[in-house]
Amino acid sequence: MDRDEREQLHKAMVRLADGDRSAFEPVYAAIWPVLRRFAGRAMPNEADAEDAAQAALIKVFSRASEFDATRDARAWILGIVAYECRTLRQKARRRREELGGIEELGPRTRTEEATPEERVIALDLQEAAFEALGTLGAEDVETLQQVLADERPEGATFRKRVERAMRRLRDAWRVKHGTG
């Protein structure tokens, strides 16, 4: 998605947020291929990628009135699809736990090099995540670093710290980026 396409998407999303139903088609045409590619990289198979992209699209259109016109439309939409991918992966993981622990879903392996658009999206999301992390206290950041490094001490105390840190991170993300 080049700069002009991104601007057109933003303008159409602002119109949609203002209630202009004629903006539905331009938003859909611009964002559907991006949603599919993003979900395709994040999900373990095409069926799950399709489900995540469709669920995200439904949320984008049902929550269009919540879109903040001062924010980037593509980043807002990609935040929603990222959340949907994470939710579907977590549901699958929980189902496997209930069924006796089939192997963990990992990220899809990529044999091809990322496109420039994919690199920009990854950098945008990384920058947004660092902004949100920058609003957290030192204990929350340390807790999340332990989780990412897979250094989880046993016990309810740490689980509760993780829960609180994640809640504060989600709240910070919502404040900064307006997505839920």
Side-chain angles (χ1 to χ4, degrees), residues 17-160:
D18 289 339
D20 181 359
R21 290 185 179 196
S22 67
F24 174 85
E25 186 60 37
V27 169
Y28 175 79
I31 204 63
W32 180 247
V34 176
L35 287 177
R36 284 290 293 125
R37 280 193 306 274
F38 186 95
R41 289 188 313 273
M43 299 306 291
N45 60 58
E46 289 303 313
D48 288 342
E50 184 81 17
D51 290 347
Q54 286 178 6
L57 195 62
I58 290 168
K59 281 193 178 174
V60 165
F61 289 126
S62 67
R63 298 175 62 194
S65 63
E66 298 173 21
F67 174 67
D68 179 2
T70 63
R71 298 284 186 194
D72 180 48
R74 186 184 68 160
W76 183 72
I77 292 167
L78 289 176
I80 293 172
V81 74
Y83 180 81
E84 288 301 317
C85 289
R86 181 180 170 274
T87 300
L88 287 175
R89 289 171 62 101
Q90 192 165 359
K91 284 180 182 177
R93 183 180 54 80
R94 286 183 182 147
R95 278 193 306 269
R96 279 193 311 281
E97 287 173 359
E98 291 171 6
L99 295 175
I102 300 173
E103 66 191 46
E104 179 79 23
L105 269 181
R108 287 174 30 140
T109 57
R110 300 244 341 168
T111 56
E112 62 206 52
E113 195 172 312
T115 66
E117 180 182 44
E118 292 169 341
R119 287 192 297 269
V120 169
I121 289 169
L123 287 173
D124 284 349
L125 288 174
Q126 182 179 12
E127 183 179 315
F130 284 135
E131 281 180 40
L133 277 171
T135 66
L136 299 180
E139 183 181 25
D140 288 339
V141 172
E142 180 184 330
T143 299
L144 294 173
Q145 286 173 335
Q146 285 179 298
V147 169
L148 291 173
D150 206 22
E151 299 171 356
R152 294 173 172 244
E154 292 294 321
T157 303
F158 186 74
R159 284 193 306 269
K160 207 58 175 156

